Each structure stands twice: as C-alpha cells, then as structure tokens.
Amino acid sequence: MAATFRIVFVLALVSGFFPQVLEAAKIGDVTETRVIEQMFRFLSLKDPSVRATVIGTTLLGICCGLLGPFIVVRRLALVGDTLSHAVLPGVAMGFLWNMEKDPLAIFIGASLAGLIGACAVNLIKQTTHLKEDSALGMVLATFFAVGICMMTMIQRLPTGNKSGIDKYLFGQAAAMNQEDLILLSVVTTVVLLLVFLFYKEFLVTSFDAGFARSIGFPVNLIHYLLMLLLAFSVVVSLQAVGVVLVSAMLITPAAAAYLLTDRMHRMLILSVLFGVVAGVGGAFLSFLSNNLPTGPFMVLSATAVFLAAFFFSPRRGLIPRWWRQRSQTQRICRENILKAIYHILEAGEFEEEGVTFSELSIRRNEDLLEVRPQILDLEKADFVTVSKSENRIYFTPDGWQTACSIVRNHRLWELYLTNAVHYAADHVHDDAEKIEHVLEEETVRQLEKQLNYERRDPHGKPIPTFADIEKGLPTARQSRPATGYMSKS
Amino acid sequence: MSELIPSFDFQAVFIVPWQEDFQGYFLIATMGFLISLSCGLIGNFIMLRRMALIGDAISHSVLPGLAVALFLSKSLATTAMFIGALVAGILTTVLIELIHQNSRVKPDAAIGIVFTSLFALGVILINVYAGEVHLDTECVLYGEIAFIPFEPLIDIGGREWFPGSVLRMGGVTLLVILGIVLFYKELLVTSFDPGLSVSLGISTRTTHYLLMGLLSLVIVSAFQSVGAILVIAMLILPGATASMLCSRLPAILWLTAGLCLPATLAGIHLSIWLDCSMAGAMVIASAVFFILAWLFSPRRGLLQQLIQKVRLPEVHNLTLDNSQE
C-alpha cells in the first residue's frame, strides 16, 4: 500500500511542478470527427492536450477514489451529492470575483459554498424536527437554485469572458487548463498526504465512532476534516465531471470496491484504481466525438465497473452467489436421496444390498417419474450404481460414506439437542434435518466427545461412527461381493 | 456588482409586467402554482416516510426515459414522453431496491449510483441525438417555465384558454388532491405506523407503490417546467415550512397549499427583478419562506428555542426557590 501511495504521490508532484509538459491546447477546438483517428490520437498520447486530459482525469480518479470509501462506509453518499450541488453558487461567486474563469477564485468560492451547505444541513438537522433526508434535499435544491439564478444572471452580463462557465454543469475534461491541473494536483497531494497520515484515525472513526471517542480521538474534528477534503475534491473535479454528476465519482468506484473486499486499505487501492479507470475511460469515450460532455461518460464507465463487481465479484457477486446457491441446493437434494436409501437399507436391517426404485419412491413420497432423473443424476456423480437387470440401486463407496455421515450428523444432532440442550425428543427432527448438511468433521468429533460416544439416538436408532463409515456397507462386509457395490470399487 | 443586481423599482417589477403581458404572466403563475401545489402536497407524505431522496433520484432518472421516448416517437408527442418518463421513474425505484437487496451496498449509495448513472445516460442520449431530439441539457437542469406563454393554446368551449402543459399539470394536481382525499386514512396510517396499518388490513406495499406512482407522475409533469433538481425543492420546501408552523397533518396540508401561491408570485417577481431563471427564483422564494419559518416559528423556531434556553434557568431557579421554602 505504501508503495502505491508513493508512486501516486510522485505522479502528483511531477504533474504539479512541471506543468509545462501539459500545454493547454483545447481539444474542443479540433474539428476532425473521425472516430478511429481520434482513438489513435488519444491512445498515442502525442497530443499535449490529450496528455493534459489524461493526467487530469487520473488525478481526479485518485482524489475521488481515496475519499469515496470513507464516504460509502460512513453512509454519507448523499451528503457528497448535496455538497456537490451546493458548490454551484460558489462557482458563480468565484467567477464574479474578477469576471473571468479564475480557477483559484472559483476553488475558494466553491469550497466555501460547499462547507456552508454541509453546515446548513447539520444546523437544520439539529434545530428542527426535519429528518436528515429532507434537510439534505432542501439544502441541495436551494443552493442549486441560487447557483442557477446567479448563472443565468451572469449569462446576460455584457462584460467579462463567460466562456467555460457553463461547462461546470456537465463537465468538459478538455476545458481543463494548466491552472486547473495545478490545483487538481495540489489537492490530490493534500488528500493523499492526509489520508496517509491519518489513516488510522479515519478508519476508526468511520467504523466505530464511540470507540474512537473513548480512546480520545477528536471525532468531530475528523468528520469536518473529511468534509473539507470532500469539498476540495468535489470542487477540483467540477471542471471535468460537472456539478450534477461529481458525486458519482465519489460513490460508484468506492461501492464497487466495497463489493470486492473487506479490508479498508484494499478497498482504498481498488477504489483509486476504479476511479482512474472510470476517469480516463470517460475522457477517452467523450474524446471520440466532438463536443461531448466528459462527465456523463465517466459516470457510465464507473457504473460499468460497479455492475461488473455487482454481478461477478467472486464472493458477493450476484452470479457466483447464485451459482453457489444452486450447487448447494443440488448437494442437499442428493444427500437427502442418499439418506433415504440408507433408511430403506436400515429398515431391512441391511439384509439387502440395494433398493428398488419403487421402494425409494414410496420412502421419498414422490412419483417414480420424479425419482428416476434424480437417481440418474446420482449415478452420474458416482454416488450409486444402477443395475438395469434387477432394477435396483446400489451404493458406491462414496455414496455409502456420504449417506452414512449425513445420517450420523442427523442423529448426533438430535442426541445433542435432547441430552445437552434438553429439547423434547419429538422436537429435534426438523432442526437436525437442516443442520445435517452443514456439520463439519471437527464439529462432529467435538459432539461425539461431548456426548460420551453414545451409540443410540433419542429414538433408539444406532449412530454410525467414523469407523463404520470407513468400513463400508455392513452386508457387503459380511456376504459375497455384491454386484453393484463391489463392482465399482 | 451593480451590473449584476439591477436597481429595485417597484413599478417596473410588480406593476409593469402585468400591464404589458397579463395573459403570459397569468399562465406562468398558474403553472408555478399548480406545480408547487401538487409537489408540496405529495411531498409532505414523502417527507414523513423519509423518502425525500428517492424523489431526488426519480427526478434525475426520468431524463433517459424522456430522451428515449422523444427519439422513438420523433416528436414532442406528450403521451410518449409521459410514458417514457414514467417507466424510467418506476425503473429507478426498482433498481435501487434491487441493488440494495442483492448486495451489501447501503441504500444511500444505491440511490447515488442509480440516479447518477441514469442521468448520465440521459445526458449522453440527448447530446448524441442533439439534432433529432428537441431537448436542451441546460433546460433539463432548470426548466423552461418562462416559455409556457409561447406554447400553442388549446380550445376549450370555443375559447383558447391554456396551453397543453398547463392543462396537463392541472389534471395531475387534481389527481393528487383526489388521491390524498380518497386515500387519506391509508396514507396517514402507513406513514406513521406501518405495524398498525398491517393489523388494520391496509397494505403498506400497495400504498407505497401508489404513492411512488403518483410521485413519478408529478415529477414527470413538473420536469419540463422546473428541471430535474429544482423539483426536489418543490417537493420538500413547502411541506417543511408548513411543518415548522403546525404539527397536525391536515393543518400542514392546508398550510402547504396556502403557501404555494405567495411563493410562486414572489418567485416570479424576483426573477423579473433580477432577470434570472424563473424556476430558480421560485425555489429561492420558497427557501426564504422556510428560513423565515425556521427563525420565527412561534412553536419551534430558532428564536423561540433561544428564548426558552434563556428562560430555562429562571424557571429552574424559581422551582428551586419554591422547594427551599
């Protein structure tokens, strides 16, 4: 992690102190619209304005990606949204300061407006009965309305260089000039340094504010520090993403990272990575055609990353989870049939080695037509063999061992519930029916020990032991090698 | 600065516009009033259920619906746009539920992800089909209520009265009022006590989706006039102001309705004075009303709280003195 930080840090410094590499020719001035040509222009990075865009969006991705995880785990996602809308009057004020697009004035004005907005939300929450969501929505829309009014007033002003101010609404990465980039790299460096230095503080206050307070961390101060950084990063991202969509750059990459890992530092790294991918990807896509806003493309790139994580995350993704659930259902179904075969054999005191299809269908209370495919599935999985001539089903060693351990788990659990937890003997079956599929070997050994290696369950039936399972089917041991069972082994 | 804020001239701001173009301003005022009335009424229930930000999400996400409908129907046919936006609005709620139920992403982040993605999609669609779609991204943000007088009027009973958008908004407002009157009990119970409503046999789910449908309808029809983001202010501000002043729901609803007209008119005149976005000015006027109520409400205003804080030690001392005696 430290290595990553160092690399990013150096990158930020380089772009900050040597801005002459980023000459600011405007991409928007270029008129060619051929997609392939544009693609090569972007990918070759020969064009200085392309380089500027790439560096700008990379820094933006780092900046937002670093703060996003804290916002997401603190459930402040919509505070970020409110903050990003609330900066609009500040942008207009900064513009009015000397009637041109001066990044520093706009930065200061917007940060102030954002912070005032955040404070207004807190004030409304504390002094009225209104809930947080109402307060957020109210501040968001009111500040935005003020901003919109000021923007429309600026538009009709006769003086001043108004070009570029309307780009703040939807963003135009290509409109970023040298000063914007310097500001962006300074803010990114500050955010990096602060997150790196106060990582522990941010982490603890995010997850357990009470604990943090008890060990003497200034929780409120850290909260406001985070808000300040948030306002900074929102403001510097405005030029590229726009007021309306900047919150997505905070939330979406972090949420995607949140689906992939449980450790905060990994989440930070992933989120930065996704932020950069989304930023550069969005710039690339919007570059393909003329005069497309960058912000929406960045947001959609981020959403694509999120959707990929949502569906395919190995542990939490929808599809792996669905797959796991399916295979689990299949396993449980198989185990239940094996158990039923065991019960039939046991009822015949292991005189027979196989069961017929009709016996099984009666035991399972299912139609023959339903039983047959299930058995064929078991045969394919090598749990049973079916003798076509006798129309009988025989265990393979695997099948026997599985059936036996399921029955053992079931009876052992029933015994545990009656003896150790003092359930009534007629109440334990349903519970055991569920737990039998998930008991692990170690737990079983502990249970056996705790129950003094008792061999009979509450209903008087024998509990198979590990030794029984190893030995194989009783009849097979005693009598001649049975057709189905032995032929497989 | 003097260029930015014109000098205030009562005559020019309040009288002249009405003398010059009475019908135009009458239409704008009617539209503004209808929007803030329907939004304000339904907003009360939205706030009670803590769903204010769902309203935010829906208002952003109707954009791709509008764009697709416009693109498919190749015209400004209102029915197609209505259906498109309504579908998008309902899709938003469904997507938010889907994400937050099927992953560990919290509802707030789910809202943030869904509406930004859909809004981005809408902006791109509009930009890509800029030639074919008659919809401006700027207007998406702050509406075009000022252009209502230029819409063609529709004949009713031999006389041209209102443009189609105003009539439609009127219909939606009627529907909202009717919905609230007819389902008042259901809305009330499900908002305050879902447990009780289940035991009374009122389905919280049905009521929820009814409200969501109505909300989408209101947002969709207000969208063109006031834009995506200002709709939220229309939803929340009047109800919030009213609830600062009284605490029983019927009273709040009546007060909300009463606040709408002054806020709309104040907004119109503000925008005439400053020559700025009309929808924005209406929101600012509502916000000023809220701030006034927040400061001076006799029941729970800041001033009142301050007075009580000052008085509390006095009262405390008084009781202490009494007990000592």
Side-chain angles (χ1 to χ4, degrees), chain B residues 296-315:
Chain B
F296 303 114
S297 156
R299 301 167 57 94
R300 32 172 72 140
L302 279 181
L303 203 66
Q304 191 62 28
Q305 285 177 22
L306 205 69
I307 292 171
Q308 271 166 6
K309 218 178 256 174
V310 174
R311 272 200 195 149
L312 193 63
E314 286 175 25
V315 176

Side-chain angles (χ1 to χ4, degrees), chain A residues 116-153:
Chain A
I116 293 172
C119 291
V121 171
N122 265 350
L123 200 64
I124 292 177
K125 234 166 50 184
Q126 278 163 10
T127 60
T128 71
H129 61 290
L130 295 169
K131 305 291 176 303
E132 181 171 22
D133 62 328
S134 305
L136 283 173
M138 207 150 75
V139 170
L140 177 158
T142 306
F143 273 64
F144 193 76
V146 174
I148 285 294
C149 281
M150 291 175 76
M151 296 285 249
T152 45
M153 281 152 77

Side-chain angles (χ1 to χ4, degrees), chain A residues 210-449:
Chain A
F211 171 69
R213 206 166 276 135
S214 76
I215 58 171
F217 282 171
V219 175
N220 284 332
L221 197 69
I222 291 171
H223 178 79
Y224 281 108
L225 180 65
L226 193 65
M227 285 289 120
L228 188 73
L229 290 181
L230 195 60
F232 283 170
S233 63
V234 162
V235 173
V236 290
S237 315
L238 282 185
Q239 179 78 81
V241 203
V243 170
V244 189
L245 293 170
V246 66
S247 63
M249 283 303 285
L250 287 166
I251 305 169
T252 315
Y258 191 46
L259 292 177
L260 291 172
T261 173
D262 282 331
R263 318 286 313 176
M264 194 61 178
H265 57 95
R266 270 184 225 142
M267 189 173 160
L268 280 177
I269 292 170
L270 279 177
S271 161
V272 165
L273 188 74
F274 294 158
V276 171
V277 167
V280 178
F284 174 66
L285 287 174
S286 78
F287 186 72
L288 292 183
S289 174
N290 238 350
N291 262 334
L292 287 178
T294 330
F297 281 105
M298 283 193 197
V299 172
L300 284 191
S301 319
T303 310
V305 174
F306 174 78
L307 284 181
F310 181 71
F311 284 112
F312 303 112
S313 156
R315 280 179 53 209
R316 303 222 160 66
L318 213 55
I319 289 172
R321 234 174 41 205
W322 170 79
W323 182 251
R324 275 202 298 276
Q325 209 163 13
R326 219 191 85 134
S327 47
Q328 176 125 333
T329 318
Q330 194 188 25
R331 184 174 66 86
I332 289 175
C333 179
R334 280 178 180 170
E335 285 177 356
N336 281 337
I337 298 169
L338 290 174
K339 189 176 66 176
I341 298 175
Y342 182 95
H343 282 151
I344 298 168
L345 291 177
E346 190 187 48
E349 301 194 328
F350 299 105
E351 296 283 312
E352 306 278 337
E353 292 144 29
V355 299
T356 61
F357 277 90
S358 56
E359 276 173 334
L360 189 61
S361 83
I362 292 165
R363 176 87 211 177
R364 299 263 302 158
N365 208 2
E366 281 172 345
D367 217 81
L368 266 176
L369 286 173
E370 286 175 271
V371 169
R372 194 166 288 275
Q374 289 169 352
I375 291 300
L376 290 181
D377 171 58
L378 278 182
E379 194 181 18
K380 212 188 277 171
D382 223 8
F383 282 123
V384 296
T385 49
V386 178
S387 129
K388 288 270 154 31
S389 54
E390 296 172 72
N391 212 11
R392 271 170 175 273
I393 307 158
Y394 298 97
F395 275 134
T396 63
D398 270 355
W400 162 257
Q401 283 183 5
T402 314
C404 226
S405 42
I406 291 297
V407 170
R408 176 203 61 203
N409 292 353
H410 184 97
R411 294 186 178 160
L412 210 53
W413 191 254
E414 287 190 338
L415 191 68
Y416 172 73
L417 285 185
T418 40
N419 287 9
V421 196
H422 305 295
Y423 269 43
D426 53 344
H427 276 64
V428 292
H429 176 78
D430 291 340
D431 204 10
E433 197 70 8
K434 282 176 208 148
I435 204 105
E436 64 191 12
H437 301 289
V438 291
L439 278 186
E440 282 172 4
E441 193 177 317
E442 199 179 330
T443 326
V444 170
R445 287 190 193 276
Q446 274 178 357
L447 279 175
E448 278 186 332
K449 199 173 154 199

Side-chain angles (χ1 to χ4, degrees), chain B:
Chain B
M1 271 302 172
S2 59
E3 283 170 335
L4 192 71
I5 299 173
S7 58
F8 182 74
D9 175 4
F10 183 84
Q11 191 77 15
V13 171
F14 283 97
I15 312 291
V16 176
W18 293 93
Q19 283 173 342
E20 279 179 358
D21 182 13
F22 179 81
Q23 203 199 7
Y25 284 99
F26 176 70
L27 286 179
I28 292 174
T30 315
M31 188 66 175
F33 174 66
L34 288 175
I35 289 173
S36 56
L37 182 62
S38 52
C39 284
L41 287 179
I42 204 161
N44 272 310
F45 292 100
I46 303 294
M47 270 197 294
L48 281 178
R49 291 155 177 258
R50 311 196 179 179
M51 296 192 315
L53 292 166
I54 303 258
D56 181 15
I58 293 179
S59 71
H60 279 85
S61 342
V62 295
L63 187 61
L66 281 180
V68 169
L70 273 174
F71 180 63
L72 288 182
S73 66
K74 299 274 183 207
S75 71
L76 281 162
T78 4
T79 344
M81 279 174 62
F82 227 67
I83 293 169
L86 204 58
V87 169
I90 289 163
L91 188 72
T92 317
T93 44
V94 173
L95 282 179
I96 292 171
E97 287 284 298
L98 201 75
I99 288 184
H100 124 87
Q101 273 170 7
N102 284 304
S103 73
R104 67 207 295 230
V105 174
K106 305 287 180 304
D108 64 329
I111 292 176
I113 291 169
V114 169
F115 89 76
T116 49
S117 314
L118 286 175
F119 192 71
L121 189 68
V123 173
I124 289 175
L125 282 176
I126 289 176
N127 267 294
V128 171
Y129 300 111
E132 290 151 82
V133 173
H134 183 74
L135 200 63
D136 191 350
T137 41
E138 315 268 298
C139 282
V140 164
L141 287 179
Y142 45 87
E144 44 191 14
I145 195 169
F147 298 125
I148 282 179
F150 303 111
E151 285 180 30
L153 301 178
I154 287 179
D155 258 299
I156 302 174
R159 237 193 98 181
E160 290 182 332
W161 280 96
F162 293 107
S165 56
V166 178
L167 281 180
R168 198 170 61 241
M169 199 66 227
V172 170
T173 313
L174 267 184
L175 205 66
V176 168
I177 294 174
L178 211 65
I180 290 176
V181 170
L182 288 179
F183 297 99
Y184 180 73
K185 193 179 64 195
E186 282 80 358
L187 285 171
L188 183 73
V189 177
T190 50
S191 300
F192 281 104
D193 194 342
L196 177 67
S197 77
V198 172
S199 70
L200 285 175
I202 297 168
S203 162
T204 17
R205 203 170 235 302
T206 319
T207 323
H208 174 79
Y209 281 108
L210 198 87
L211 194 66
M212 282 292 119
L214 213 53
L215 179 66
S216 306
L217 199 68
V218 169
I219 288 176
V220 168
S221 37
F223 183 86
Q224 267 203 304
S225 302
V226 292
I229 296 159
L230 302 181
V231 172
I232 312 144
M234 298 276 182
L235 279 172
I236 302 174
L237 281 171
T241 314
S243 70
M244 292 303 294
L245 297 170
C246 44
S247 51
R248 297 205 56 87
L249 192 58
I252 291 178
L253 287 176
W254 280 110
L255 196 57
T256 307
L259 279 169
C260 287
L261 193 58
T264 309
L265 288 177
I268 289 175
H269 290 293
L270 186 67
S271 98
I272 294 170
W273 174 35
L274 296 176
D275 189 13
C276 63
S277 155
M278 214 165 250
M282 283 181 193
V283 171
I284 293 178
S286 309
V288 169
F289 280 14
F290 171 77
I291 292 169
L292 289 179
W294 184 20
L295 291 177
F296 303 114
S297 156
R299 301 167 57 94
R300 32 172 72 140
L302 279 181
L303 203 66
Q304 191 62 28
Q305 285 177 22
L306 205 69
I307 292 171
Q308 271 166 6
K309 218 178 256 174
V310 174
R311 272 200 195 149
L312 193 63
E314 286 175 25
V315 176
H316 193 64
N317 289 341
L318 212 67
T319 44
L320 272 182
D321 291 347
N322 285 344
S323 58
Q324 274 165 4
E325 281 166 18

